[in-house]
Amino acid sequence: MRYVIHRLGFFVLSLWAAITINFILPRMMPGNPADAMFAKFQGQLTPAALDAMKKAYGIGQSNLWHQYIDYLHGLFTFNWGLSFMQYPTPVSDMIKASVPWTLGLVGIATLLSVFVGTTLGVYISWKRKGLLDNTLPVVSMIFQAMPYFWMALLFVFIFGFKLNWFPMSHGYDPAITPGFNGTYLSSVLSHAFLPGVTLLLGSLSGWIVGMRNNMINTLGEDYVTFAEAKGVSSSRLMFSYAARNAILPQLTSFAIAIGNVVSGSILTEQVFSYPGIGNQLTSAVTSQDFPMIQASFLLIAVSVLVANLIVDLLYSRLDPRIRTGGLRNEG
Amino acid sequence: MKAEITPSAQQNVKSSFHLFSALKVLKPFFTNAKSATGFIIFLVFLLTAIFAPLIAPYSPSAAIYDPNLAPTAHHWFGTTNTGQDLFSQFIFSARNTMIVGFGAGILSTIIGLIFGVIGGYRGGITDAILSFITNLFLVLPGLALLIVIEAYLKASTPYVNGLIIAFTGWAWGARVFRSQTMTLAGRDFISAAKMSGKSSLRIMITEICPNMMSIIAGNIMFATLGAILAEAGLAFLGFEDINSTSWGTMLYWASSNSALLRGAWWWFIPPGVGIALVGLSLVLMNFAIDQITNPRLKVQKRRKQHGRKAARS
């Protein structure tokens, strides 16, 4: 229970920190970007929009504390401002439109990569010095060293441009009207295939190598040797004895993994012009759409924090030592 | 800090004086095919970076050649649509990428050491605060944070980007250093150092850090890899000065001039291969460090036979 409270406390504190970073960054940058931005948009936007912008970035207001309270209030009432680029579309509407794309793409790719990677890791640790054990780590190292977005560019070039197997960009064929029917869904799937494979391959290696090393450590434990001497069948030894314990440290590396996948997806979405949240963030930055930048960064940060909280809580369910506080500082 | 950048130089210098002892330390780099490959790739790129002005046949920025050339005898990697020589760009990019990568990798390792070692050694409230900051930076999505910072900075140079990358990407190292420091802090030699009246700062620098040199070296490898990838990603998205010379910027220009749709593979393949090869060399060398420091990965021959036996039965 203490562990759960501890994790919840960390979650709340880090949430607060993310929100505050989002508030402070535009205000502490050299050369006051808010002023520059304001000058840039003068004449382009309606007076009402300029007023809202002034308020949002504290131009003409001196009290930082008031700005902060206003900012927090707007945040929790889902009043995230209006996009500059697609004025007067509320930022929250644009976010709502792009979240399902990223969630579907990143979510499915991550789950698949955890599952496939962990299984492969178990397999190659069992078949030590086999063909797969010698080649897979090297192959996965190459994937680890390769930039996600470059791999995405290669896929676009080979499978989109040369072979014409898959579409090269966008979330679905713009000629099809979105709806819950076969043509639309198959269009979505074929458009998601290449970006999905990019994310899968990019993150797979970490899970394989991590699981392999955990397995090797676990297989060296006395209780495994004992079970083996006792005559436990090898598949049971592998999965019920070794893999079950080796999988725990995998969960702790989830924090860094999910961050990598999100980073990878920002770049991948850009390559494929995929209509997700990462693409929104980058195009908002290029077009200096500050409300959109703030909202999409916050959303990305919060979803990563929530994913981590879920994993942490799951971890305490799976590992009783955590709940009793027996294994605080390992790993 | 110098040990990992110039293992080659060290090896050359040492080999003439203490041939045997030096070879013993570096043996794992060469007995293992993987790490030897990594080491050689790394050397090639290091030399390319150092001697870039001598190797590159032309200026990387001069737009004076025939545009849109496929690779020819004069332009090994072809030219851009404005007539810049891609091979020269590739060579000079190696230099920037290595400087930014290792600069950011080493700087973030130093920041990680400060947070990790102090937190792990002091414990208590200091540790609580430092580990909170560490964990916070660990969970915040790095690239998104970098992009947002870039949004307010606008078109920064590769070096500025290196700094930002280091200041946002040190957390993983700090966590590893912290747990290692905590295991070291209870050892007898630390108590002995305390008894002899050494200050905490001296103990941290002269007792704890040298005892986790391999972890530090491994961390520099990974931090450098992360920095190279992050810098390339930022440059590719166009959030770096687009007139700078780096592999990421090359990819940015390639994709914004739709090199993909024109089939100009010579424009976007080499920069990616460059990044991947440097990255691979780092991962491979780290593999060697892993093999040295984690004996369990090696001892597993015994395990293998057991496994076979169990599988047969």
Side-chain angles (χ1 to χ4, degrees):
Chain A
M1 204 54 215
R2 233 189 102 217
Y3 173 80
V4 173
I5 291 169
H6 198 95
R7 297 321 302 172
L8 278 174
F10 174 71
F11 172 74
V12 171
L13 268 178
S14 52
L15 190 67
W16 168 79
I19 289 171
T20 308
I21 286 174
N22 206 17
F23 170 81
I24 284 178
L25 264 182
R27 287 170 174 79
M28 66 174 228
M29 282 297 158
N32 199 350
D35 280 341
M37 176 182 63
F38 188 66
K40 189 186 153 203
F41 282 102
Q42 199 128 32
Q44 285 181 34
L45 295 177
T46 62
L50 285 177
D51 273 354
M53 205 162 112
K54 266 186 182 172
K55 207 176 153 197
Y57 289 94
I59 302 167
Q61 267 175 297
S62 52
N63 193 334
L64 205 63
W65 181 247
H66 273 159
Q67 291 176 35
Y68 189 54
I69 299 290
D70 278 353
Y71 163 79
L72 286 183
H73 183 257
L75 202 68
F76 286 108
T77 50
F78 293 94
N79 192 358
W80 295 351
L82 306 175
S83 165
F84 292 165
M85 277 305 120
Q86 301 185 22
Y87 191 80
T89 319
V91 162
S92 46
D93 285 3
M94 288 167 71
I95 296 268
K96 244 182 256 161
S98 54
V99 162
W101 294 101
T102 300
L103 212 58
L105 186 69
V106 176
I108 293 172
T110 306
L111 288 180
L112 266 179
S113 118
V114 173
F115 182 74
V116 174
T118 306
T119 318
L120 278 177
V122 172
Y123 180 77
I124 64 174
S125 71
W126 188 242
K127 301 260 173 197
R128 293 270 299 166
K129 304 297 166 210
L131 180 69
L132 265 179
D133 186 40
N134 284 330
T135 53
L136 248 173
V138 176
V139 173
S140 70
M141 277 177 199
I142 296 174
F143 278 112
Q144 198 180 356
M146 213 164 28
Y148 271 59
F149 64 93
W150 185 65
M151 189 161 52
L153 285 173
L154 283 189
F155 284 161
V156 169
F157 182 68
I158 297 170
F159 298 108
F161 178 72
K162 284 278 179 196
L163 300 172
N164 208 7
W165 287 355
F166 293 99
M168 293 170 67
S169 58
H170 302 303
Y172 59 92
D173 192 342
I176 302 172
T177 37
F180 200 74
N181 53 51
T183 35
Y184 176 68
L185 288 181
S186 69
S187 171
V188 168
L189 281 181
S190 73
H191 279 79
F193 187 80
L194 284 185
V197 168
T198 308
L199 289 178
L200 180 68
L201 288 180
S203 55
L204 195 59
S205 66
W207 298 113
I208 298 179
V209 174
M211 190 62 187
R212 171 180 171 271
N213 291 349
N214 295 342
M215 279 299 282
I216 290 167
N217 280 334
T218 316
L219 286 173
E221 298 280 346
D222 288 343
Y223 71 89
V224 175
T225 316
F226 174 70
E228 197 178 321
K230 198 173 73 169
V232 170
S233 77
S234 50
S235 66
R236 192 171 147 76
L237 184 71
M238 209 58 211
F239 291 102
S240 304
Y241 283 70
R244 222 177 133 166
N245 287 304
I247 209 161
L248 284 172
Q250 285 283 82
L251 275 177
T252 47
S253 57
F254 192 81
I256 200 155
I258 192 80
N260 281 339
V261 175
V262 167
S263 300
S265 84
I266 293 174
L267 290 159
T268 309
E269 282 178 13
Q270 177 71 11
V271 172
F272 289 96
S273 311
Y274 205 76
I277 193 86
N279 201 9
Q280 291 278 26
L281 175 63
T282 42
S283 60
V285 172
T286 5
S287 56
Q288 305 259 297
D289 187 346
F290 286 86
M292 193 64 205
I293 296 174
Q294 286 199 310
S296 41
F297 170 70
L298 202 60
L299 195 79
I300 292 173
V302 169
S303 43
V304 170
L305 291 180
V306 170
N308 269 305
L309 178 70
I310 294 172
V311 168
D312 277 338
L313 296 181
L314 200 66
Y315 193 56
S316 79
R317 296 293 317 155
L318 293 177
D319 190 346
R321 287 172 300 184
I322 286 294
R323 264 173 288 164
T324 54
L327 192 85
R328 288 325 299 259
N329 298 314
E330 198 154 308
Chain B
M1 285 298 119
K2 275 176 204 150
E4 68 306 313
I5 327 171
T6 51
S8 62
Q10 251 195 356
Q11 194 247 334
N12 289 339
V13 174
K14 272 189 186 169
S15 59
S16 52
F17 300 113
H18 318 283
L19 190 74
F20 293 106
S21 63
L23 279 182
K24 237 177 222 168
V25 175
L26 289 166
K27 208 175 136 203
F29 275 108
F30 294 103
T31 45
N32 185 322
K34 285 174 191 162
S35 47
T37 320
F39 199 64
I40 291 166
I41 300 174
F42 175 74
L43 266 186
V44 169
F45 277 95
L46 188 69
L47 292 175
T48 311
I50 294 172
F51 298 110
L54 299 178
I55 298 170
Y58 309 106
S59 150
S61 53
I64 48 175
Y65 309 103
D66 291 335
N68 293 324
L69 284 181
T72 64
H74 290 290
H75 301 282
W76 290 359
F77 290 173
T79 56
T80 68
N81 64 331
T82 54
Q84 293 166 316
D85 182 52
L86 281 169
F87 182 66
S88 305
Q89 285 196 351
F90 178 81
I91 297 295
F92 273 96
S93 299
R95 179 179 254 193
N96 265 340
T97 306
M98 293 291 256
I99 295 174
V100 171
F102 275 98
I106 291 169
L107 184 59
S108 75
T109 304
I110 293 173
I111 301 173
L113 273 174
I114 293 171
F115 274 77
V117 173
I118 294 179
Y121 184 73
R122 293 264 176 200
I125 187 83
T126 322
D127 183 35
I129 294 169
L130 292 182
S131 8
F132 170 72
I133 300 172
T134 307
N135 287 334
L136 180 67
F137 273 93
L138 199 63
V139 292
L140 282 182
L143 191 71
L145 185 61
L146 284 174
I147 289 175
V148 172
I149 296 174
E150 294 291 329
Y152 301 116
L153 271 184
K154 296 194 195 84
S156 53
T157 64
Y159 301 123
V160 174
N161 278 349
L163 276 181
I164 307 171
I165 291 167
F167 279 112
T168 50
W170 49 269
W172 185 250
R175 194 147 117 168
V176 175
F177 296 143
R178 175 176 170 268
S179 56
Q180 186 64 17
T181 306
M182 287 171 88
T183 61
L184 286 177
R187 301 267 176 88
D188 288 345
F189 71 93
I190 298 291
S191 316
K194 273 184 202 161
M195 303 285 190
S196 73
K198 276 192 176 181
S199 70
S200 301
L201 186 68
R202 271 195 71 186
I203 291 178
M204 285 183 227
I205 293 171
T206 61
E207 303 286 341
I208 290 179
C209 287
N211 274 295
M212 46 190 212
M213 227 39 208
S214 61
I215 299 180
I216 296 174
N219 190 69
I220 288 178
M221 304 280 176
F222 264 105
T224 303
L225 174 63
I228 288 175
L229 291 179
E231 193 264 343
L234 283 179
F236 170 70
L237 292 173
F239 298 147
E240 188 170 289
D241 181 11
I242 48 176
N243 296 315
S244 62
T245 314
S246 78
W247 284 328
T249 316
M250 285 177 77
L251 288 169
Y252 166 78
W253 283 115
S255 102
S256 66
N257 286 307
S258 50
L260 288 172
L261 305 181
R262 291 192 281 116
W265 53 267
W266 54 86
W267 197 345
F268 63 85
I269 300 260
V273 172
I275 298 169
L277 280 179
V278 172
L280 184 64
S281 76
L282 291 167
V283 179
L284 287 174
M285 287 193 293
N286 186 62
F287 194 80
I289 295 173
D290 248 11
Q291 295 283 334
I292 308 165
T293 53
N294 190 351
R296 263 193 172 169
L297 290 175
K298 219 193 265 171
V299 174
Q300 289 308 314
K301 277 172 195 149
R302 187 188 69 97
R303 193 51 250 160
K304 172 196 135 199
Q305 286 154 3
H306 282 229
R308 286 274 162 77
K309 267 179 220 155
R312 265 202 303 274
S313 63

